[in-house]
């Protein structure tokens, strides 16, 4: 009995010591857990800070343009167009002319026989600041002549849909005139373009365009300039030598079709527009026209691509109608022994229609038909002295197939049956390459 009391007393005396030990262990465990929690929270905070920094850096890189995919990788953007042709012609291209029409003095007729360089273009373009853009294009012709074809500034921030262009530029009349030659679907320009605009009409002046804020595309334009190129001429006079007005309208039909139609008017006032031709005796004579020339130009372009995707198949129809008139005086055999001046009046027209079909990726085929109508031409007493101006309707049919390994290169084979000269038919075969080096802006519709 005494022993039991002793054991019980000892146990009761030891309980406080055991309880204290247990409290110490619990406290230690809590402290250890708290320390681990603090360490993990610090580690997680550090990782979250690194993640936020990485996301900010990625967003900053993604907002910058890719140097390899933008035209502004260099400032200014620089591009070079290389073009070359092999021509097999039945007739001497030096004798090429458009019978029934006053020579324009421009780029008329096919390129030289055999191998020759085409027109090579060096283009520099860039946004100058948020308000202006500049473009400069130097063209080297196959005869080694070099000319500035485009050199202009263009506004970027005028209000209400207005855009102003000033300098030297291709006129916005018609459809094909404003396109660079390397963007054409055939080796050469349509006959009507050659007869009435000398191949491509450019001038030094000012152009104003207004884009209507409507769902349907509607653009109005006006130009004034020196009018130094055919159908105008150098005047050595203050003021405006040429002016034009134009309107374009277009839109989509469903998701697979798009169209664009235009109407333009150009008026020039040449004073001494000269041209050379053989007279009735076969002598080369120089003649000069002074008066007023005008041109109406209507255009239609229709494009089709399945579901709006032109990468595999697409079709493009393009046609323009030209109606030109001149009224004034014509001096025959300028400076010669038979010099004579009489009235001159003409109303002539021409058109072309073409279709180009991409039947599989990279491959296209195309057909084009050109025709000019001599209309009415009255040179008074000089009419009989100029056999070139006797009534005749030049015409031509062309077909082509081209292959584009990429958007930067194109190789074309073209056959044309050309009847631009009276009683003469010229079968023409062309092989052409067009290469684009550097950053080159996209072409218009």
């Amino acid at each position: 009995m005494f022993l039991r009391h002793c054991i019980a007393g000892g146990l009761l005396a030891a309980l406080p010591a055991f309880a204290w030990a247990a409290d110490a262990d619990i406290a230690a465990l809590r402290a250890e857990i708290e320390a681990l929690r603090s360490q993990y929270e610090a580690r997680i905070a550090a990782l979250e800070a690194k993640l936020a920094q990485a996301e900010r850096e990625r967003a900053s890189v993604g907002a910058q343009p890719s140097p390899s995919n933008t035209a502004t990788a260099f400032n200014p953007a620089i591009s070079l167009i290389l073009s070359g042709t092999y021509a097999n012609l039945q007739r001497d291209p030096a004798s090429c002319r458009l019978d029934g029409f006053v020579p324009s003095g421009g780029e008329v007729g096919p390129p030289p026989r055999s191998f020759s360089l085409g027109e090579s273009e060096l283009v520099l373009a860039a946004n100058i600041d948020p308000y202006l853009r500049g473009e400069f294009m130097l063209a080297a012709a196959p005869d080694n002549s070099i000319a500035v074809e485009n050199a202009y500034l263009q506004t970027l921030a005028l209000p209400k849909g207005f855009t102003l262009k000033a300098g030297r530029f291709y006129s916005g009349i018609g459809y094909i005139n404003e396109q660079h030659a390397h963007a054409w679907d055939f080796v050469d320009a349509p006959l009507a373009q050659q007869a009435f605009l000398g191949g491509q009409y450019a001038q030094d002046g000012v152009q104003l365009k207004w884009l209507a804020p409507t769902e349907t595309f509607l653009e109005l334009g006006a130009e004034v300039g020196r009018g130094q190129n055919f159908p105008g001429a150098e005047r050595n006079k203050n003021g405006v030598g040429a002016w034009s007005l134009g309107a374009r309208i277009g839109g989509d039909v469903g998701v697979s079709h798009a169209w664009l139609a235009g109407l333009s008017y150009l008026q020039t006032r040449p004073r001494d527009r000269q041209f050379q031709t053989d007279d009735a005796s076969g002598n080369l004579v120089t003649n000069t026209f002074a008066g007023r020339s005008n041109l109406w130009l209507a255009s239609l372009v229709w494009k089709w691509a399945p579901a709006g995707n032109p990468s595999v198949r697409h079709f493009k129809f393009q046609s323009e109608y030209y109606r030109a008139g001149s009224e004034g005086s014509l001096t025959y055999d300028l400076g010669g022994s038979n010099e004579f001046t009489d009235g001159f009046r003409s109303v002539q027209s021409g058109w072309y229609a073409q279709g180009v079909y991409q039947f599989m990726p990279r491959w296209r085929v195309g057909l084009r038909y050109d025709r000019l109508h001599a209309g009415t031409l009255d040179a008074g007493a000089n009419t009989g002295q100029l056999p070139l101006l006797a009534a005749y309707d030049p015409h031509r049919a062309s077909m082509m197939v081209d292959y584009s390994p990429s958007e930067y290169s194109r190789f074309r084979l073209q056959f044309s049956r050309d009847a631009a000269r009276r009683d003469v038919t010229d079968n023409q075969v062309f092989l052409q390459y067009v290469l684009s080096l550097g950053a080159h802006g996209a072409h218009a519709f």
Side-chain angles (χ1 to χ4, degrees):
M1 188 66 181
F2 174 75
L3 180 60
R4 290 181 179 177
H5 285 285
C6 289
I7 293 173
L11 290 174
L12 291 174
L15 279 177
F18 286 128
W20 178 84
D23 291 342
D25 291 340
I26 291 172
L29 288 173
R30 286 176 176 173
E32 187 174 355
I33 291 172
E34 188 65 29
L36 288 173
R37 181 181 288 114
S38 300
Q39 291 176 1
Y40 278 112
E41 288 179 350
R43 180 62 176 165
I44 291 172
L47 291 175
E48 288 178 343
K50 286 185 177 180
L51 177 62
Q53 178 65 24
E55 289 178 342
R56 284 195 296 270
E57 292 176 355
R58 181 177 181 181
S60 176
V61 172
Q64 297 176 2
S66 172
S68 60
N69 294 328
T70 69
T72 55
F74 299 97
N75 192 7
I78 302 174
S79 65
L80 178 65
I81 302 297
L82 297 179
S83 175
T85 306
Y86 174 82
N88 189 305
L89 312 173
Q90 278 189 315
R91 310 292 178 180
D92 183 0
S95 63
C96 184
R97 61 182 184 272
L98 297 174
D99 280 349
F101 293 79
V102 172
S104 65
E107 298 176 356
V108 176
R113 283 170 162 163
S114 189
F115 296 95
S116 66
L117 287 178
E119 186 174 277
S120 301
E121 302 170 354
L122 177 64
V123 182
L124 292 82
N127 290 351
I128 301 166
D129 54 32
Y131 313 104
L132 295 173
R133 175 180 179 274
E135 180 171 321
F136 174 82
M137 187 176 79
L138 199 65
D143 61 359
N144 293 328
S145 61
I146 297 177
V148 177
E149 294 202 344
N150 284 180
Y152 61 82
L153 63 86
Q154 187 175 23
T155 61
L156 300 173
L158 287 185
K160 307 295 185 182
F162 285 97
T163 303
L164 183 70
K165 183 186 291 184
R168 178 173 298 176
F169 50 85
Y170 290 134
S171 173
I173 58 174
Y175 178 74
I176 198 174
N177 187 76
E178 204 168 19
Q179 295 181 347
H180 294 172
H182 67 266
W184 295 347
D185 294 315
F186 290 82
V187 172
D188 39 21
L191 292 178
Q193 187 74 17
Q194 298 178 16
F196 301 124
L197 293 172
Q200 201 158 20
Y201 182 68
Q203 67 171 334
D204 297 353
V206 179
Q207 177 193 76
L208 180 66
K209 287 186 176 181
W210 175 69
L211 182 62
T214 57
E215 184 174 348
T216 299
F217 174 79
L218 174 61
E219 183 183 72
L220 305 179
E223 298 174 7
V224 294
R226 197 166 92 231
Q228 71 272 27
N229 294 321
F230 187 88
E234 286 288 3
R235 304 190 317 149
N236 190 23
K237 185 179 179 181
N238 295 325
V240 174
W243 61 271
S244 68
L245 297 173
R248 291 176 179 168
I249 185 171
D252 297 331
V253 179
V255 297
S256 301
H257 300 265
W259 61 279
L260 179 70
L263 181 65
S264 305
Y265 176 79
L266 169 68
Q267 186 177 105
T268 62
R269 291 184 175 275
R271 298 184 68 184
D272 295 306
R273 193 179 71 199
Q274 296 184 358
F275 65 95
Q276 290 186 323
T277 185
D278 293 338
D279 64 8
S281 302
N283 301 313
L284 184 65
V285 294
T286 300
N287 315 288
T288 183
F289 169 81
R292 183 180 64 187
S293 294
N294 60 72
L295 174 69
W296 285 97
L297 214 167
S299 62
L300 174 65
V301 180
W302 190 285
K303 294 184 177 181
W304 167 82
N309 178 12
S311 61
V312 179
R313 292 183 299 139
H314 66 261
F315 176 77
K316 176 184 177 184
F317 173 79
Q318 173 181 329
S319 182
E320 293 187 89
Y321 173 78
Y322 305 67
R323 182 179 176 84
S326 292
E327 186 171 7
S329 62
L330 180 70
T331 300
Y332 163 73
D333 195 9
L334 182 67
S337 57
N338 298 316
E339 182 175 324
F340 183 78
T341 300
D342 203 349
F344 181 92
R345 186 176 186 280
S346 69
V347 178
Q348 301 178 305
S349 62
W351 61 274
Y352 75 89
Q354 67 181 52
V356 177
Y357 176 53
Q358 177 173 298
F359 56 94
M360 60 184 297
R362 304 178 180 179
W363 287 94
R364 306 189 310 163
V365 294
L367 291 173
R368 181 183 66 188
Y369 184 76
D370 308 58
R371 193 168 192 91
L372 297 175
H373 298 283
T376 59
L377 189 153
D378 182 8
N382 293 322
T383 301
Q385 298 294 331
L386 299 171
L388 171 68
L389 302 183
Y392 178 70
D393 297 341
H395 53 277
R396 180 179 62 182
S398 305
M399 62 177 63
M400 74 85 186
V401 56
D402 63 28
Y403 171 70
S404 301
S406 72
E407 60 182 305
Y408 306 106
S409 59
R410 174 163 290 166
F411 300 90
R412 177 179 290 132
L413 171 65
Q414 177 176 322
F415 171 76
S416 296
R417 187 171 175 81
D418 187 321
R421 285 164 282 186
R422 186 179 288 105
D423 301 326
V424 174
T425 299
D426 189 10
N427 292 320
Q428 306 167 341
V429 178
F430 305 101
L431 283 171
Q432 183 191 37
Y433 67 83
V434 180
L435 309 177
S436 177
L437 292 74
H440 191 83
H443 297 113
F445 179 86

